[in-house]
Amino acid sequence: MTKKQDIWGLVCTGGGAHGAYQVGVLKFIHEHFCLGEFSPFQIFTGCSCGSLNTSFFAAQSSDARKSSLWLEELWLDFHIPSYHGNIFKNTAKLFWRQWRKPREERHPTWSLLDPAPMIEVIQKGFIRQNLLRSFDAGTTLGIGVVATELLSGRCTWFIEGPQANPWNLFHSLGSPEKISTPHIAASCSVPIFMPPVRVGKRFFLDGSVALSRPLSAAITMGATKVLSISTEKPIPDDLPNYSAHFRPRTSNVIRMLLNRLSRNAAVDEAKEIAVFNQFYEALSKKTLRLGLGQDPLPLFHDEALPHHYRPAQILQIHPSRRIQPLPAENRTKSGNQKGRSTRFMFHEKFIRELVDLGYADAGAQREELKDFFRETPVKPGWRGMFRRS
């Protein structure tokens, strides 16, 4: 591929089964904005279920148009009864199977769900040989999946690619690795529900636990235009109203904690980046002179100077409505509504509904996507001459 002035980055946040929404958004994008068969993105970063989607396209970036249908089929086949059945019954069965094993074969950390089905899906979707071909073709410049280190709680990005250089900042650690199934599984390993995953000499859990700046990895690896796809509608600015008879329940606490895990921190980070962009533009009009041959440093780096900063355009897509389970799938035999979390509801019909919602929401933002994927013209004058290609 020819080198371009703009580098497009894809960021997918977490949300369990809600990650199917991202599949629908990406299906629309790869139908309408592919560069031939190439993906329009070159940098791919993700968290939790988003790491499965972004790692898939990072590996398939040279054949993305056809591969988007493959990813959709992968999610539709992700039908795991144990993930959406009676959670207490499944837990009891899992503990019983562990107890029956010889002591030396028991897993040291018991969890509510068996991770085997998730690992099987990751192995089907992420093919490392394809990722290496995408690196060679130049259609993928960087991939990053984020996880939380078990003992320190440190946010750790596992990164790979021509533009994947290490970093160690207050909000995260960038660790160059050969991305494989354990890295993605660690990013998806929801605490308590899934066991910690060993990567090298350390154990890691879901990246959503410690992630505060989901856009930072893509920008650090060189993305100048970043598309962020969330799986949840942004939290309203106003606090909710309580009914007169409201009493806190344990389910309210659990639901809030799960919501915090999938909270879209990209909304806050995008606002920060917008402020930095404004500051950069104001400063450049007066005194900024871009230095030649100087590599940009990550945002907030101790040695970063104004000429290191590279403005980034951010576009965010999130569900147009709150994701709820299908009515027929959310009723008990007595007709009462279930209060089960939809993040583990891997029903084919529910997944299909999310894919269709993502496709429709992306279509509704088609004009914004056109502007996002449009090449930035080189400005005349000294700023245009010194702009990096």
Side-chain angles (χ1 to χ4, degrees), residues 230-278:
S230 173
T231 60
E232 295 289 342
K233 193 172 182 179
I235 299 174
D237 294 333
D238 297 328
L239 294 175
N241 295 320
Y242 288 74
S243 66
H245 303 289
F246 176 81
R247 293 293 183 273
R249 298 175 181 271
T250 303
S251 60
N252 298 128
V253 178
I254 295 174
R255 188 175 294 112
M256 182 273 293
L257 292 175
L258 287 174
N259 287 338
R260 291 297 299 175
L261 280 177
S262 61
R263 186 181 72 89
N264 185 17
V267 173
D268 298 332
E269 189 180 8
K271 292 178 181 177
E272 291 180 355
I273 291 172
V275 172
F276 278 111
N277 288 346
Q278 292 175 1

Side-chain angles (χ1 to χ4, degrees), residues 32 36 80 87 115 122 132 140 152 159 165 179 203 223 231 245 274 296 299 342:
H32 297 86
I80 307 174
I87 191 75
I122 294 172
L132 297 179
T140 294
S152 67
I159 55 176
N165 298 313
I179 303 298
F203 286 88
T231 60
H245 303 289
L299 201 58
T342 56

Side-chain angles (χ1 to χ4, degrees), residues 10-31:
L10 173 65
V11 176
C12 289
T13 57
H18 295 189
Y21 173 83
Q22 298 168 343
V23 176
V25 173
L26 293 170
K27 178 182 177 182
F28 180 89
I29 289 174
H30 287 96
E31 281 183 4

Side-chain angles (χ1 to χ4, degrees), residues 7-304:
I7 297 177
W8 281 267
L10 173 65
V11 176
C12 289
T13 57
H18 295 189
Y21 173 83
Q22 298 168 343
V23 176
V25 173
L26 293 170
K27 178 182 177 182
F28 180 89
I29 289 174
H30 287 96
E31 281 183 4
H32 297 86
F33 297 100
C34 268
L35 307 173
E37 293 299 323
F38 296 162
S39 172
F41 305 102
Q42 295 85 46
I43 304 291
F44 303 83
T45 65
C47 175
S48 196
C49 68
S51 67
L52 175 61
N53 293 330
T54 51
S55 62
F56 176 93
F57 276 113
Q60 305 294 138
S61 60
S62 60
D63 192 19
R65 190 188 297 272
K66 295 178 182 177
S67 297
S68 64
L69 298 177
W70 177 23
L71 181 61
E72 182 180 3
E73 292 177 3
L74 187 70
W75 272 87
L76 290 172
D77 289 338
F78 198 172
H79 181 71
I80 307 174
S82 63
Y83 278 22
H84 52 71
N86 186 302
I87 191 75
F88 297 105
K89 184 185 294 185
N90 295 334
T91 303
K93 288 181 179 178
L94 185 61
F95 284 179
W96 176 248
R97 286 197 298 269
Q98 287 285 345
W99 184 260
R100 293 183 63 184
K101 293 180 180 179
R103 184 180 296 273
E104 62 275 8
E105 295 181 12
R106 294 177 191 170
H107 198 284
T109 306
W110 288 6
S111 57
L112 298 181
L113 297 174
D114 183 358
M118 177 190 70
I119 293 174
E120 182 181 353
V121 171
I122 294 172
Q123 291 173 337
K124 288 180 180 178
F126 178 72
I127 302 174
R128 178 158 180 83
Q129 286 72 19
N130 291 347
L131 177 64
L132 297 179
R133 281 197 289 268
S134 296
F135 286 151
D136 291 339
T139 55
T140 294
L141 299 178
I143 174 179
V145 297
V146 65
T148 302
E149 199 276 322
L150 179 61
L151 297 184
S152 67
R154 188 75 196 276
C155 180
T156 304
W157 283 96
F158 301 115
I159 55 176
E160 184 179 6
Q163 300 196 182
N165 298 313
W167 70 81
N168 191 347
L169 303 176
F170 73 91
H171 56 74
S172 65
L173 178 72
S175 177
E177 305 261 350
K178 291 184 178 179
I179 303 298
S180 59
T181 297
H183 298 92
I184 304 171
S187 183
C188 298
S189 188
V190 181
I192 307 301
F193 290 89
M194 299 286 187
V197 177
R198 182 167 187 164
V199 179
K201 297 180 180 179
R202 298 180 177 87
F203 286 88
F204 294 84
L205 286 165
D206 195 318
S208 299
V209 175
L211 184 62
S212 61
R213 286 178 169 76
L215 308 179
S216 61
I219 294 174
T220 299
M221 287 191 283
T224 58
K225 293 190 174 187
V226 178
L227 176 67
S228 172
I229 309 177
S230 173
T231 60
E232 295 289 342
K233 193 172 182 179
I235 299 174
D237 294 333
D238 297 328
L239 294 175
N241 295 320
Y242 288 74
S243 66
H245 303 289
F246 176 81
R247 293 293 183 273
R249 298 175 181 271
T250 303
S251 60
N252 298 128
V253 178
I254 295 174
R255 188 175 294 112
M256 182 273 293
L257 292 175
L258 287 174
N259 287 338
R260 291 297 299 175
L261 280 177
S262 61
R263 186 181 72 89
N264 185 17
V267 173
D268 298 332
E269 189 180 8
K271 292 178 181 177
E272 291 180 355
I273 291 172
V275 172
F276 278 111
N277 288 346
Q278 292 175 1
F279 178 76
Y280 170 85
E281 289 297 330
L283 183 63
S284 66
K285 290 178 181 178
K286 294 183 178 181
T287 59
L288 185 64
R289 295 295 183 271
L290 299 179
L292 293 177
Q294 296 183 356
D295 294 328
L297 294 174
L299 201 58
F300 305 117
H301 193 284
D302 291 342
E303 299 176 5

